[in-house]
Amino acid sequence: MDIKDIIKPENLVYQKTSLMTDKPLSYCPGCGHGTAHRILMEVIEEMGIQSETIGVAPVGCSVLAYDFMNVDMVGASHGRAPAVATGIKRCWPEKFVYTYQGDGDLAAIGTAETIHAANRGENITIIFINNGIYGMTGGQMAPTTLPGMKTSTSPYGRDLKSMGNPLKMTELLAQLPGTCYVTRQSVHSPRNVRRAKKAIRAAFESQKENKGLSLVEIVSNCNSGWKMEPVASNEWMVDNMFPFYPLGDIKVDGKLVNNQ
Amino acid sequence: MKELRLMKGNEAVAEGAIRAGADGYFGYPITPQSEVMEYLMAEQPEKRTGMVVLQAESEVAAINMVYGAASTGKKVMTSSSSPGMSLMQEGISYLAGAELPCLLLNVARGGPGLGTIQPSQADYFQSVKGGGHGDYNLIVLAPSSVQEMFDFAFLGFDLAFKYRNPVLMLSDGLIGQMMEKVELCEQLPRTTHFDRSWTLTGKPDGQERNIVTSLDLDASMQEIHNLHLQEKYRQCKEAEVRYELFDTEDADYLFVAYGSSARICQKAIKIGRSEGIKIGLLRPITLWPFPAKPLAELASRMKGILSVEQSAGQMVEDVRLSVGSGVHIEHYGRMGGMIPTPEQVLENLKKLLIAK
């Protein structure tokens, strides 16, 4: 097959979902956000729910998520996305409502909104990107920063005694009766991308059946914030983030997995 | 036949919201306004009209639920009292920036800080001069009766959608807690049409999606947005000034007072007139836009003006800006939840304006 054959429409094996706009992504090369955006939009496209979906963008690196996701979207103030989503979903219970939030947004400033939306069992889906750092503001310590990890506001490493422990929000939320599906995924390899996409699909299916809040945490790299090359950052993530934030389902169909 | 009911101010605004066809209420308990949500929960508007009522985990969450629902074109509101309103200011700034309509109610109490739970008008600056960050204005209505607590739910939603701007009802613990006769009007239907030029209802096939945000990282674009907001505020200033005059035809002295203070001033006018002092009252109904022109016109034939507020003197600044330097203007007020008597108001008119 030569190049002329390869580019023929009938030989097309993959194309960008029309639910991603053509706007160049504002994320650093090597970052996991772009892949997370893509699989989220692919799920919405495959479910055929674009016209029934309203997304909520956070404050953080993905503050401009609405520039890239081709669905109706609102930009929330920092941490309040679950409250904003609650307001939308309560008034439009028949729509699909999701938030897309980072760790600072969801697990620091927005802790109350996240926990209470989950505890009320709001029928929304939260996509939670955990890279253990504040990327947007230049690499400060996040609630999920690992013990001893260096950031611009923990330049000698996170000292647990004075700076507190990393917050495992996903495990915490899984304990609440209002959550239905809680899982932790990653997008650093093709296999993990497929799994993460499956998880997002399961989260939206659970929303469709009004089962309560569904949460997909995606442990991601932040090569800029971690000051590493993209490949090295992914290796570091596997070696350091995954042992602390183990991948896999934590709660399925309202039941905790493996006695978590 | 007229439908009359004896109600608290806080209950009247809740009933008004249901009958105005509101789609949702999101709130958090705080004295002296908790009856708003209590009334709604007891009334179960979900069964009456389909209106949603939700108790949020904080005022911060409540205002952001309003922000979310308002971004979809729904008619939604929240209510709180002074400390809770302070917590909501960030969200209110976002609502104004994103040009979202909604109704806000402050049943104000004494401050600063946790203050008291008694009535106060010390949130005037917060209400009319911004409150949150950035160049924005709220349309501010000041009810001075339980009837107006009911009526302004309708007016508030109308103005909010007309200008795509948050409307704030600045009430106080006195108007919220007292009971008066209210004439209720017919139930309005809830909205079924949503303006796709800005609302988020899900991107229709073949149409552009909508984005609601107050963010524009391009400063030159943000300035254009600000100019647009300022033009909207200018139009609102021209068209929406509301006020009421009371005994001003032959008056030598003028009270300027809103809300509960205006009620107290009406009694002070009666006592004053029985003593031969001709006093009138200008009651701003819209605190923003402030009735500057009618006040200036009236002021030119007055010997003196007394701005009466339950504060250290906040609205008096707008009275002075409206009138200029030609007329003697003084402020009288009590603070921290104390309410002046009509006799005290009259005494201070004599002391501050007539004796000088």
Side-chain angles (χ1 to χ4, degrees), chain B residues 17-76:
Chain B
I18 299 172
R19 295 201 187 207
D23 296 299
Y25 170 95
F26 304 93
Y28 185 79
I30 183 171
T31 309
Q33 66 78 53
S34 295
E35 294 87 352
V36 179
M37 187 163 44
E38 286 172 352
Y39 182 92
L40 288 170
M41 286 294 188
E43 203 54 36
Q44 295 181 295
E46 194 132 22
K47 289 180 186 164
R48 270 174 66 179
T49 64
M51 176 185 177
V52 171
V53 187
L54 182 63
Q55 180 169 335
E57 63 271 29
S58 67
E59 287 91 349
V60 175
I63 194 68
N64 282 286
M65 290 172 186
V66 165
Y67 176 83
S71 72
T72 69
K74 293 279 185 177
K75 218 183 232 187
V76 287

Side-chain angles (χ1 to χ4, degrees), chain B residues 146-166:
Chain B
V146 176
Q147 182 70 55
E148 283 187 339
M149 288 288 271
F150 179 82
D151 293 343
F152 288 1
F154 292 74
L155 175 62
F157 277 126
D158 282 351
L159 291 172
F161 276 83
K162 181 174 175 188
Y163 291 96
R164 270 183 62 194
N165 203 67

Side-chain angles (χ1 to χ4, degrees), chain B residues 3 6 11 72 96 126 145 222 263 280 286 291 299 301 331 351:
Chain B
E3 189 182 351
L6 184 67
E11 296 168 346
T72 69
Q126 184 194 61
S145 66
Q222 189 62 255
R263 299 288 290 270
T286 50
R301 41 188 183 86
H331 157 79
K351 193 174 81 185

Side-chain angles (χ1 to χ4, degrees), chain A residues 21 50-55 59 63-78 80 82-88 90-92 95 112-114 116-117 120 122 136, chain B residues 23-24 26 52-58 60-62 64-69 71-72 74 76 90-91 94 194 196 199-205 208-215 217:
Chain A
T21 65
Q50 183 186 20
S51 63
E52 301 157 59
T53 300
I54 301 165
V59 171
V63 67
L64 294 173
Y66 50 68
D67 276 350
F68 317 122
M69 299 178 181
N70 193 13
V71 292
D72 269 8
M73 282 192 84
V74 54
S77 58
H78 198 17
R80 316 301 171 212
V84 173
T86 298
I88 298 170
R90 290 287 176 133
C91 286
W92 297 91
K95 303 279 181 194
E113 286 76 12
T114 307
H116 283 278
R120 286 190 303 267
E122 299 294 342
M136 171 72 131
Chain B
D23 296 299
F26 304 93
V52 171
V53 187
L54 182 63
Q55 180 169 335
E57 63 271 29
S58 67
V60 175
N64 282 286
M65 290 172 186
V66 165
Y67 176 83
S71 72
T72 69
K74 293 279 185 177
V76 287
E90 183 202 32
Y94 277 64
F194 299 93
R196 261 312 289 182
T199 61
L200 306 181
T201 54
K203 175 193 173 302
D205 291 340
E208 287 292 302
R209 53 55 187 277
N210 283 334
I211 297 170
V212 170
T213 179
S214 59
L215 173 75
L217 291 172

Side-chain angles (χ1 to χ4, degrees), chain A residues 198-250:
Chain A
K198 235 184 212 175
I200 293 171
R201 175 76 187 238
F204 274 83
E205 293 289 353
S206 142
Q207 182 177 165
K208 193 177 185 177
E209 291 165 30
N210 290 318
K211 285 181 170 175
L213 189 133
S214 48
L215 174 91
V216 181
E217 173 181 339
I218 295 174
V219 181
S220 183
N221 63 331
C222 176
N223 40 289
S224 295
W226 297 354
K227 310 208 182 313
M228 293 174 194
E229 298 287 325
V231 173
S233 73
N234 276 323
E235 287 164 2
W236 190 88
M237 176 174 73
V238 172
D239 293 343
N240 297 276
M241 293 284 278
F242 292 175
F244 199 89
Y245 299 111
L247 304 187
D249 291 341
I250 298 170

Side-chain angles (χ1 to χ4, degrees), chain B residues 118-254:
Chain B
Q118 281 77 24
S120 169
Q121 297 183 315
D123 296 351
Y124 181 89
F125 283 156
Q126 184 194 61
S127 305
V128 307
K129 306 290 181 191
H133 57 283
D135 278 318
Y136 74 91
N137 282 106
L138 304 177
I139 300 168
V140 184
L141 302 172
S144 83
S145 66
V146 176
Q147 182 70 55
E148 283 187 339
M149 288 288 271
F150 179 82
D151 293 343
F152 288 1
F154 292 74
L155 175 62
F157 277 126
D158 282 351
L159 291 172
F161 276 83
K162 181 174 175 188
Y163 291 96
R164 270 183 62 194
N165 203 67
V167 171
L168 170 68
M169 278 170 71
L170 179 59
S171 184
D172 61 58
L174 204 157
I175 302 293
Q177 290 294 327
M178 73 182 184
M179 295 187 87
E180 285 187 311
K181 184 177 72 178
V182 187
E183 188 182 335
L184 304 177
C185 60
E186 296 284 302
Q187 173 71 49
L188 293 182
R190 286 175 54 225
T191 313
T192 50
H193 172 76
F194 299 93
D195 179 358
R196 261 312 289 182
S197 71
W198 64 273
T199 61
L200 306 181
T201 54
K203 175 193 173 302
D205 291 340
Q207 283 184 39
E208 287 292 302
R209 53 55 187 277
N210 283 334
I211 297 170
V212 170
T213 179
S214 59
L215 173 75
D216 202 321
L217 291 172
D218 181 339
S220 65
M221 295 304 288
Q222 189 62 255
E223 186 181 43
I224 289 169
H225 177 58
N226 269 274
L227 288 168
H228 159 72
L229 290 179
Q230 291 303 317
E231 172 56 20
K232 182 170 82 171
Y233 301 149
R234 191 192 61 73
Q235 287 173 13
C236 186
K237 267 183 173 175
E238 260 176 29
E240 305 302 343
V241 169
R242 286 170 170 79
Y243 62 96
E244 187 182 44
L245 298 177
F246 187 81
D247 279 353
T248 52
E249 298 81 10
D250 62 343
D252 294 323
Y253 296 95
L254 184 72

Side-chain angles (χ1 to χ4, degrees), chain A residues 26-28 31 33 59-63 78 102-105 129-145 149 151-152 221-227:
Chain A
S26 53
Y27 303 108
C28 307
C31 166
H33 267 302
V59 171
C61 282
S62 46
V63 67
H78 198 17
D103 42 64
D105 197 82
I129 309 296
N130 175 12
N131 55 18
I133 206 160
Y134 283 83
M136 171 72 131
T137 43
Q140 293 82 11
M141 185 179 72
T144 49
T145 295
M149 185 173 162
T151 70
S152 68
N221 63 331
C222 176
N223 40 289
S224 295
W226 297 354
K227 310 208 182 313

